[in-house]
């Protein structure tokens, strides 16, 4: 059996600057993290060989040096057309001798573990699958592996389309479960400097309105960027890794999308509190009163007693935390049910309003992915908490 591992380290970074692969990450250049995981696979699985698609000087030098250990099982190939998209680097890596399987890894995914890769290869070798990929809580990610039968389709990819499209059409595929969400994280989304992925996006696409309102409707709560929501879901899972969560509770409408994607990572159902002006109080509902920050009106929010039970551990999720009224309503509903608030995950906390402090003072584990400490509607500037 012959397995060609292809490490896509050609660059083509638009968001991070030209050589993000050289960026220091925990004392090592970014490109080295994934490469070392692949070297572990070379050590442990004699069927494997490694082609590094790159033209970066430091990576070329590194691989040349490692050839003294791995001989012709490790080599580099250039990708002169990398600027045209990932499919050009995929093709560059595939050309040359054929193999039984092709495993593609990207160089900006530094937390991938060699054990996960070995697990994926073990599955594909023993199960006769057409392809497979690394996954986490049901979310598909990279690296991905393809049998030689798919070689023509891989060569036929165009532009910036990767192999996921091919995998999605297959029935006979396998998954290797990552140990933690960040194994699937590619560093483009994490932000390159001191801003995290969500802060970067807010900075880029958020609009500051008069009255301390931040509009994020182009990516979060009207049009929704699902890739970003997945990243947020993975991050919530990481931050609440030790929490016991039976259910996620959110509030309509803008919390629903975020909560649903997060729920994939926790593998639990989502309940959303409904807003209602006039309710038939038939006793089957938990009810709380919530003042809307954006609409300046009072709503009653309701949750059917059927969907929240005594003893359950509930994670609250919402898009914004401003004065904390929405969350107070949800906390009240959880309390009415005799359930426990296990934690609260917020996309954007407006740190200059009182909600965060109030909730933290209640002793609840609150995690906000981005905390905005100030906004200036006249300049559009947004300041994040470090
Ligand atoms: P709170 O109840 O904490 O005062 O406000 C939270 C709710 O108000 C969130 O569910 C969110 O929908 C809305 N909200 C508060 N501040 C903002 C904001 O700056 N922008 C947007 N789009 N919604 C906000």
């Amino acid at each position: 059996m012959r397995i060609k591992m292809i490490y896509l380290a050609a660059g083509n970074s638009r968001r991070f600057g030209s050589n993000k692969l050289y960026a220091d990450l925990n004392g090592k250049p970014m490109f080295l993290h994934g490469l070392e995981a692949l070297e572990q696979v070379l050590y442990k699985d004699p069927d494997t060989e490694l082609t590094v698609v790159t033209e970066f000087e430091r990576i070329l030098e590194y691989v040349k040096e490692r050839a003294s250990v791995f001989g012709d099982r490790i080599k580099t190939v250039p990708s002169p057309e990398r600027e045209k998209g990932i499919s050009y680097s995929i093709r560059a890596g595939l050309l040359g001798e054929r193999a039984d399987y092709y495993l593609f890894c990207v160089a900006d995914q530094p937390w991938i573990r060699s054990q996960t890769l070995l697990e994926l290869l073990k599955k594909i070798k023993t199960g006769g699958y057409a392809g497979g990929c690394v996954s986490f809580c049901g979310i598909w990610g990279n690296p991905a592996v393809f049998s030689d039968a798919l070689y023509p389709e891989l060569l036929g990819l165009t532009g910036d389309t990767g192999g996921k499209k091919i995998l999605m059409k297959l029935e006979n595929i396998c998954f290797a479960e990552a140990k933690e969400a960040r194994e699937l994280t590619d560093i483009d989304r994490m932000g390159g400097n001191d801003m995290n992925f969500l802060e970067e996006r807010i900075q880029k696409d958020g609009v500051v309105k008069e009255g301390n309102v931040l509009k994020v409707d182009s990516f979060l709560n009207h049009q929704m960027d699902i890739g970003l929501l997945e990243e947020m879901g993975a991050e919530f899972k990481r931050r609440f890794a030790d929490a016991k969560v039976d259910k996620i509770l959110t509030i309509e409408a803008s919390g629903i999308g975020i909560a649903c994607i997060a729920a994939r990572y926790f593998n639990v159902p989502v309940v959303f509190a409904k807003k209602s002006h006039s309710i038939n109080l038939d006793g089957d509902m938990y009810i709380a009163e919530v003042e809307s920050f954006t609409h300046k009106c009072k709503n009653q929010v309701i949750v059917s007693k059927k969907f929240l039970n005594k003893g359950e551990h509930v994670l609250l999720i919402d898009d914004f935390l401003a004065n904390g009224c929405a969350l107070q309503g949800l906390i009240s509903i959880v309390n009415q049910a005799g359930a426990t608030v296990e934690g609260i995950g917020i996309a954007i906390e407006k740190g200059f309003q009182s909600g965060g402090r109030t909730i933290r003072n209640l002793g609840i584990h609150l995690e906000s992915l981005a905390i905005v400490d100030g906004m200036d509607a006249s300049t559009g500037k947004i300041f994040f908490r470090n």
Side-chain angles (χ1 to χ4, degrees):
M1 169 120 12
R2 187 168 182 195
I3 299 172
K4 198 166 166 177
M5 302 190 289
I6 297 166
Y7 193 52
L8 299 169
N12 184 30
S13 162
R14 292 187 192 95
R15 293 188 58 196
F16 207 93
S18 58
N19 58 358
K20 77 166 173 183
L21 298 184
Y22 290 172
D24 182 85
L25 190 72
N26 300 342
K28 278 194 269 197
M30 172 133 46
F31 75 82
L32 200 47
H33 291 255
L35 203 44
E36 285 182 347
L38 289 169
E39 283 186 46
Q40 286 301 314
V41 179
L42 284 177
Y43 277 123
K44 292 187 178 141
D45 186 340
D47 291 338
T48 56
E49 57 192 78
L50 176 59
T51 300
V52 180
V53 182
T54 195
E55 281 167 69
F56 286 130
E57 203 60 42
R58 279 173 67 188
I59 308 181
L60 291 172
E61 269 170 31
Y62 178 83
V63 174
K64 200 168 153 196
E65 195 186 296
R66 301 306 285 160
S68 63
V69 178
F70 295 108
D72 59 8
R73 288 177 69 208
I74 187 167
K75 66 172 183 187
T76 57
V77 296
S79 176
E81 294 184 283
R82 63 182 180 275
E83 296 293 340
K84 295 186 188 165
I86 189 98
S87 65
Y88 288 83
S89 295
I90 289 175
R91 253 189 308 284
L94 281 172
L95 293 176
E97 283 182 53
R98 299 277 281 262
D100 298 292
Y101 290 100
Y102 308 93
L103 174 87
F104 290 93
C105 304
V106 290
D108 51 9
Q109 199 180 334
W111 290 294
I112 189 71
R113 293 157 63 249
S114 59
Q115 291 91 327
T116 310
L117 296 173
L118 286 161
E119 167 83 14
L120 181 62
L121 294 183
K122 189 171 151 201
K123 281 198 174 164
I124 198 112
K125 283 159 85 167
T126 53
Y129 296 99
C133 68
V134 172
S135 63
F136 185 74
C137 294
I139 306 288
W140 298 19
N142 279 320
V145 60
F146 303 85
S147 71
D148 188 54
L150 299 166
Y151 187 86
E153 279 191 66
L154 286 166
L155 280 187
L157 290 170
T158 55
D160 216 16
T161 307
K164 197 73 65 58
K165 190 179 138 201
I166 299 174
L167 275 192
M168 285 167 89
K169 285 192 288 186
L170 301 175
E171 282 174 11
N172 183 22
I173 61 173
C174 61
F175 299 96
E177 183 73 359
K179 204 168 152 205
E180 45 182 355
R182 70 177 192 161
E183 279 193 66
L184 268 61
T185 300
D186 90 56
I187 213 88
D188 249 0
R189 286 211 159 274
M190 291 291 296
N193 44 35
D194 52 351
M195 273 194 289
N196 73 27
F197 66 99
L198 183 59
E199 292 165 339
E200 272 202 348
R201 187 61 181 270
I202 296 166
Q203 188 79 270
K204 183 168 160 275
D205 292 328
V207 179
V208 182
K209 295 278 182 195
E210 291 293 343
N212 280 333
V213 172
L214 176 63
K215 271 192 91 98
V216 288
D217 56 357
S218 65
F219 59 97
L220 198 64
N221 57 15
H222 192 161
Q223 173 169 266
M224 291 183 278
D225 177 338
I226 301 303
L228 182 80
L229 263 54
E230 282 179 351
E231 199 73 25
M232 289 165 50
E235 184 60 20
F236 282 132
K237 177 70 188 170
R238 195 180 70 76
R239 294 191 188 199
F240 291 103
D242 299 327
K244 176 175 169 11
V245 176
D246 301 312
K247 206 162 263 183
I248 290 178
L249 177 66
T250 187
I251 182 163
E252 72 176 358
S254 41
I256 298 176
I258 300 167
C260 287
I261 304 263
R264 295 291 306 273
Y265 291 89
F266 290 88
N267 209 11
V268 296
V270 172
V271 177
F272 65 89
K274 297 186 173 197
K275 291 176 183 161
S276 174
H277 296 290
S278 57
I279 302 164
N280 288 331
L281 296 175
D282 58 6
D284 291 336
M285 302 283 178
Y286 301 118
I287 303 167
E289 188 145 284
V290 168
E291 187 167 353
S292 162
F293 175 81
T294 33
H295 299 109
K296 308 281 179 240
C297 62
K298 282 195 175 174
N299 280 315
Q300 282 182 308
V301 296
I302 55 170
V303 170
S304 166
K305 289 187 176 171
K306 279 188 291 192
F307 304 128
L308 211 48
N309 302 305
K310 193 169 177 199
E312 281 182 325
H313 294 256
V314 182
L315 177 66
L316 307 183
I317 294 243
D318 204 2
D319 60 341
F320 273 92
L321 168 56
N323 291 323
C325 300
L327 285 182
Q328 299 270 16
L330 293 182
I331 293 169
S332 157
I333 282 176
V334 173
N335 289 340
Q336 289 172 46
T340 307
V341 176
E342 192 61 35
I344 300 178
I346 294 292
I348 306 171
E349 175 179 336
K350 293 196 293 182
F352 53 89
Q353 290 179 255
S354 61
R357 200 173 50 245
T358 310
I359 299 291
R360 288 187 180 93
N361 283 345
L362 294 174
I364 297 174
H365 178 188
L366 166 66
E367 291 283 348
S368 302
L369 303 187
I371 304 184
V372 174
D373 265 343
M375 321 191 276
D376 185 339
S378 60
T379 58
K381 276 209 161 136
I382 302 167
F383 305 96
F384 295 101
R385 187 171 301 179
N386 282 329

